[in-house]
């Protein structure tokens, strides 16, 4: 049985740290090449321009340094309180981001207007390189959705970085590469979010080479080929899971294969918005 249905999936903290830094580095190199005209291009994220999207990618990583910088919060975190917030799991994070989207958008616009993208990326890169190495993985950090251990919070940064790298590629055509570990973490967490949203074992969702989960109530399959199977690639899955791609469109474009009467995921997507 896939790990998400037996127990919480575990992520290697060292690999997650490296993945966050690597993917942020990939984006930083690409943004440095953008002209003023390219920074003003529209994106698929409402009225955000590329400039605001770039600022949001900075904010995703800068939030780690900001939490680690706050000495009073850190002392509370070490005592297990994190400013009085309830500690949440990774799956609670995926389900809890929508209510804070407005505040995130407001902060993103403010950051985008505060400095040039290159300056924002340079500052964020220097800060996290200085602060992250000495921080323990079990440090409890306050966050917008709830308190999280640093190790888990960095997994959420992989999700933010990968999802919005794809948004940036869509807007600019840059072809920014994806760190393999960051892409794997993002794919797995969003797959587990589907299994948590629709618990069961009648349908197998395959996202090679990173994830397989079972979901949806119905007859449990135990041997041979499952009667209900969905299969797609990591980026298509991420777009489906976050509402960038519609289920029907992905099927029509042969980006997804689905067989069996319980292989329609349209009512379950997106799992994170």
């Amino acid at each position: 049985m896939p790990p998400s249905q037996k127990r919480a999936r575990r992520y290697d903290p060292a690999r997650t740290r490296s993945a966050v830094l690597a993917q942020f580095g990939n984006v930083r190199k690409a943004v440095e090449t953008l002209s003023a005209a390219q920074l003003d291009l529209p994106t698929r994220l409402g009225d955000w321009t590329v400039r605001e999207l770039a600022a949001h990618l900075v904010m995703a990583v800068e939030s780690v340094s900001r939490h680690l910088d706050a000495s009073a919060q850190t002392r509370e975190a070490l005592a297990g309180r994190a400013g009085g917030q309830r500690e949440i799991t990774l799956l609670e994070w995926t389900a809890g981001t929508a209510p804070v989207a407005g505040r995130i958008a407001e902060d993103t616009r403010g950051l985008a207007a505060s400095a040039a993208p290159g300056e924002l990326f340079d500052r964020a890169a220097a800060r996290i390189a200085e602060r992250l190495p000495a921080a323990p993985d079990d440090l409890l950090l306050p966050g917008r959705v709830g308190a999280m251990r640093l190790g888990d919070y960095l997994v959420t940064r992989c999700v933010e970085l990968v999802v919005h790298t794809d948004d940036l590629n869509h807007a600019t055509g840059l072809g920014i590469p994806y760190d393999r570990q960051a892409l794997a973490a993002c794919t797995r967490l969003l797959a587990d979010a589907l299994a948590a949203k629709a618990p069961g074992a009648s349908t197998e969702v395959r996202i090679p080479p990173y994830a397989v989960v079972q979901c949806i109530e119905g007859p449990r399959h135990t041997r041979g080929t499952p009667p209900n199977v969905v299969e797609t690639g990591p980026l298509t899955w991420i777009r489906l899971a976050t509402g960038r791609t519609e289920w029907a469109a992905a099927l029509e474009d042969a980006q997804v294969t689905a067989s069996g009467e319980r292989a329609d995921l349209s009512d379950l997507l997106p799992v994170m918005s």
Side-chain angles (χ1 to χ4, degrees):
M1 183 180 294
S4 62
Q5 292 165 265
K6 278 189 172 183
R7 60 189 181 277
R9 191 189 297 269
R10 300 187 68 180
Y11 296 83
D12 184 296
R15 290 185 177 182
T16 303
R17 287 176 181 236
S18 295
V20 169
L21 297 176
Q23 191 56 38
F24 189 64
N26 291 343
V27 175
R28 181 185 179 193
K29 288 178 184 177
V31 169
E32 287 174 349
T33 70
L34 293 175
S35 66
Q38 287 174 307
L39 288 169
D40 289 335
L41 288 172
T43 71
R44 59 188 176 190
L45 301 177
D47 61 354
W48 280 12
T49 64
V50 168
R51 185 184 305 276
E52 287 160 330
L53 176 55
H56 187 71
L57 281 155
V58 168
M59 197 165 70
V61 170
E62 179 62 17
S63 65
V64 179
S65 301
R66 186 175 69 251
H67 293 323
L68 294 177
D69 267 353
S71 59
Q73 289 178 337
T74 301
R75 285 196 298 273
E76 290 181 340
L78 288 169
R81 295 191 297 276
Q85 289 185 319
R86 182 178 70 87
E87 183 176 353
I88 63 170
T89 66
L90 282 168
L91 292 178
E92 287 176 307
W93 176 81
T94 62
T97 57
V100 299
R103 282 188 293 155
I104 292 172
E106 183 179 347
D107 289 348
T108 294
R109 292 188 181 93
L111 184 62
S114 70
E119 181 181 342
L120 295 177
F121 273 89
D122 289 348
R123 184 170 34 187
R127 279 166 54 79
I128 197 167
E130 178 183 351
R131 289 153 178 78
L132 186 58
D137 294 315
D138 63 351
L139 183 66
L140 193 61
L141 302 178
R144 295 180 191 268
V145 179
M148 300 187 77
R149 302 290 169 179
L150 175 61
D152 283 347
Y153 190 69
L154 290 174
V155 176
T156 73
R157 301 306 87 191
C158 286
V159 174
E160 291 281 347
L161 286 166
V162 169
V163 169
H164 292 305
T165 295
D166 189 50
D167 291 332
L168 191 56
N169 280 334
H170 181 270
T172 64
L174 284 174
I176 304 166
Y178 299 89
D179 175 79
R180 180 180 175 85
Q181 186 60 36
L183 183 60
C186 181
T187 302
R188 289 165 181 160
L189 181 52
L190 294 176
D192 289 347
L194 173 67
K197 185 175 184 178
S202 71
T203 303
E204 186 164 285
V205 179
R206 302 170 178 172
I207 312 155
Y210 300 127
V212 178
V213 295
Q214 292 174 359
C215 59
I216 303 176
E217 290 183 350
R220 180 182 295 273
H221 173 75
T222 57
R223 294 184 182 180
T225 302
N228 305 290
V229 177
V230 174
E231 185 165 333
T232 189
L235 285 176
T236 297
W237 167 245
I238 289 165
R239 293 164 190 159
L240 286 166
T242 59
R244 268 72 172 172
T245 295
E246 297 291 331
W247 175 257
L251 282 175
E252 184 176 349
D253 294 342
Q255 296 176 329
V256 173
T257 60
S259 59
E261 61 181 14
R262 290 183 172 84
D264 184 352
L265 303 183
S266 57
D267 290 340
L268 299 173
L269 299 171
V271 297
M272 179 180 171
S273 57

